[in-house]
Amino acid sequence: MRSRDRNYTFSLSICALIFFHSLALEASEFFISYRYLVKDAILYNEVLEVSHAMHKCKGTPSNSLTLEAKNRNNLKKIITLNNEKFIQFIQKLGLNIEHFERTTNYQNTSTTILTLKTTCFKVDFNDNFAKITALK
């Protein structure tokens, strides 16, 4: 006859294994903000902020982007290496564009600011790729 304690610990260990395995499969959530400043056709400042979300983000997944990760889990480095693709991706999400132009004594000065407000993204890291999905 089997002992009840033995069956209980076995089923508890199976439940714990399933629970922790499901946590590992869940995607990480990050807050990303971006600002790009061009003054007189020269890049003046570019700021990319990436931080882990402390609380679960609410929203439905919308557009997604897959970037080559090469066994990296640092999202900021992955985005920096694939800068062109990421900028094209966030343009579709809705960048705020401000343009100022002024002419004084026949000299033209212009300033353009591209801003992505802080947005929550769900990121799935794979061995070779990182899938970035915007939450709206």
Side-chain angles (χ1 to χ4, degrees), residues 94-98 113-117:
L95 279 176
N96 185 20
I97 301 172
E98 298 176 39
I113 302 170
L114 302 173
T115 307
L116 171 70
K117 65 178 184 170

Side-chain angles (χ1 to χ4, degrees), residues 60-65 89 92-93 121 131-136:
T60 57
S62 61
N63 299 344
S64 63
L65 171 70
F89 172 65
K92 295 175 188 173
L93 295 177
F121 291 88
K131 183 178 180 185
I132 303 171
T133 305
L135 298 176
K136 287 191 175 187

Side-chain angles (χ1 to χ4, degrees), residues 32-35 46-50 75-77 79-80 83 86 90 116:
I32 299 175
S33 64
Y34 180 75
R35 185 175 176 166
E46 182 178 20
V47 178
L48 173 67
E49 295 291 331
V50 177
L75 183 60
K76 192 168 185 175
K77 285 184 182 178
I79 290 173
T80 304
N83 196 17
F86 183 72
I90 62 174
L116 171 70

Side-chain angles (χ1 to χ4, degrees), residues 50-107:
V50 177
S51 64
H52 269 288
M54 297 300 280
H55 299 285
K56 189 157 181 72
C57 296
K58 297 187 190 243
T60 57
S62 61
N63 299 344
S64 63
L65 171 70
T66 304
L67 298 176
E68 190 173 341
K70 294 183 182 177
N71 295 325
R72 290 192 176 114
N73 286 337
N74 187 341
L75 183 60
K76 192 168 185 175
K77 285 184 182 178
I78 294 170
I79 290 173
T80 304
L81 290 173
N82 299 290
N83 196 17
E84 294 288 326
K85 282 185 178 181
F86 183 72
I87 290 174
Q88 290 174 357
F89 172 65
I90 62 174
Q91 283 177 346
K92 295 175 188 173
L93 295 177
L95 279 176
N96 185 20
I97 301 172
E98 298 176 39
H99 180 73
F100 307 103
E101 196 166 332
R102 190 174 74 192
T103 304
T104 307
N105 294 332
Y106 301 107
Q107 288 187 343

Side-chain angles (χ1 to χ4, degrees), residues 35-52:
R35 185 175 176 166
Y36 187 84
L37 177 67
V38 176
K39 194 170 190 176
D40 295 330
I42 298 172
L43 176 62
Y44 189 71
N45 191 8
E46 182 178 20
V47 178
L48 173 67
E49 295 291 331
V50 177
S51 64
H52 269 288

